[in-house]
Each structure stands twice: as structure tokens, then as C-alpha cells.
Amino acid sequence: YTVETQFVEWLAANDPQLLEGGFIGFAPATDDPVSVQYMDKYIDLCTHTNTPNVFLDVNLVDNPEGTAPHMKGSLLDISRFNAKIVLQAVHKIDRMLSRKGYPDNPWREVPSKTAPAGELYVNFINVLDWLQIQPGCDPSGERADRLGEIFKQLYSDKIFQR
């Protein structure tokens, strides 16, 4: 029961309007049961606090060994990256947003005076660090190629083609 969870619950109970356009961020679940429990708890938090948007937090790492079980979904081992982990989470979150009545295509005009609602972002938290980009350099080489493969895997799913 994290401080962040308590804060979102407090906002929902005391001034739900403050959650309008808000986001809850969490990691996708791996096959580890603890990881699945954490993701499900955050999806439930979005539902019962009426928080309308999600950041799905993903870190790219070269070796996630020794990581706490609830964090393993966010630390995706780049050498064995499997888009299935991210796609399963995206589909589960999309179903939750659909059940809450958000449209299949929630995109807004930018800039917009309307708060986001029903939006899901896959947030590659450390992508620039992982690519080892130096100021003034373009991403290239093996890491950039691998990241391109990851994006192709994700974009091949129809959920990313809406």
C-alpha cells in the first residue's frame, strides 16, 4: 500500500475533480504472480478512483537480475525483449478503459483545452539513457536497431494502429 496509492485515494475521496485528466503509472506484469498482483491493483485503483489515464512504465535494461518482483515488468531485459508482456498489459488496460466508457479513439487536438480521458501511454522511461546517446549524436548502431525491432513488434498489434 504505497504513498502514491494513498494520495490518489485521498484525492478521489476529498476532491475527485483534481483527478480529472490525471494519470496513474505502473509497470506491465511479467509471468511472476507478484508482478501480476501489482499491475492488477493499479488497474483497480484507476477504476475505483475514476482516474482516467495510464502511463505504462517500461525501462530497458541489459540485465534485470536481482530486481524486486513487482518491478520486473518495468525492467525489460533488452536481449530477451518480448512484446507480449507489454501488449498483454496494454490490452488489459484498454479493456478497463473501455468498460469505463472511454472511446476507442481518445486522441485530442493538440493543443487542447480538454483534459485527457481514456488515454494510455507506453512510457519508455530510460530510452535515451539506454541508447547511450551523446549530445549532438543521432541514435545508431546495435541498440538503435534493437529498439526499432521492439517498436515494430508493438506496432504490429492492431491496438497500436487506431
Side-chain angles (χ1 to χ4, degrees):
Y1 193 57
T2 66
V3 172
E4 292 87 353
T5 301
Q6 293 173 42
F7 181 65
V8 170
E9 289 176 340
W10 183 88
L11 287 174
N14 292 288
D15 195 351
Q17 190 173 2
L18 290 175
L19 290 172
E20 185 178 319
F23 286 80
I24 290 180
F26 52 89
T30 63
D31 294 333
D32 182 303
V34 173
S35 176
V36 172
Q37 288 175 346
Y38 273 91
M39 186 177 83
D40 288 346
K41 284 181 181 180
Y42 281 110
I43 289 173
D44 289 346
L45 181 65
C46 289
T47 301
H48 84 264
T49 62
N50 214 21
T51 305
N53 306 291
V54 173
F55 277 121
L56 189 63
D57 293 331
V58 176
N59 281 292
L60 302 175
V61 296
D62 294 312
N63 183 359
E65 296 306 317
T67 303
H70 70 282
M71 290 297 296
K72 283 193 176 180
S74 77
L75 300 174
L76 296 180
D77 184 345
I78 197 69
S79 65
R80 295 177 284 159
F81 182 83
N82 183 347
K84 182 180 101 174
I85 292 170
V86 174
L87 289 172
Q88 285 175 337
V90 167
H91 281 276
K92 194 170 199 174
I93 295 163
D94 185 62
R95 285 191 300 274
M96 177 268 299
L97 293 170
S98 292
R99 281 192 306 272
K100 290 175 70 172
Y102 294 114
D104 282 344
N105 186 356
W107 304 112
R108 300 165 288 129
E109 293 289 324
V110 176
S112 175
K113 293 181 182 183
T114 306
E119 297 182 10
L120 163 61
Y121 295 88
V122 177
N123 182 22
F124 284 89
I125 297 168
N126 68 331
V127 69
L128 296 178
D129 292 334
W130 184 82
L131 284 171
Q132 300 175 340
I133 295 177
Q134 300 299 317
C137 295
D138 290 328
S140 62
E142 187 178 323
R143 287 179 181 249
D145 293 343
R146 186 67 185 113
L147 188 62
E149 291 171 22
I150 288 168
F151 288 142
K152 283 181 190 172
Q153 289 176 27
L154 295 174
Y155 291 147
S156 68
D157 191 283
K158 66 181 181 179
I159 203 160
F160 282 99
Q161 298 170 16
R162 302 197 281 202

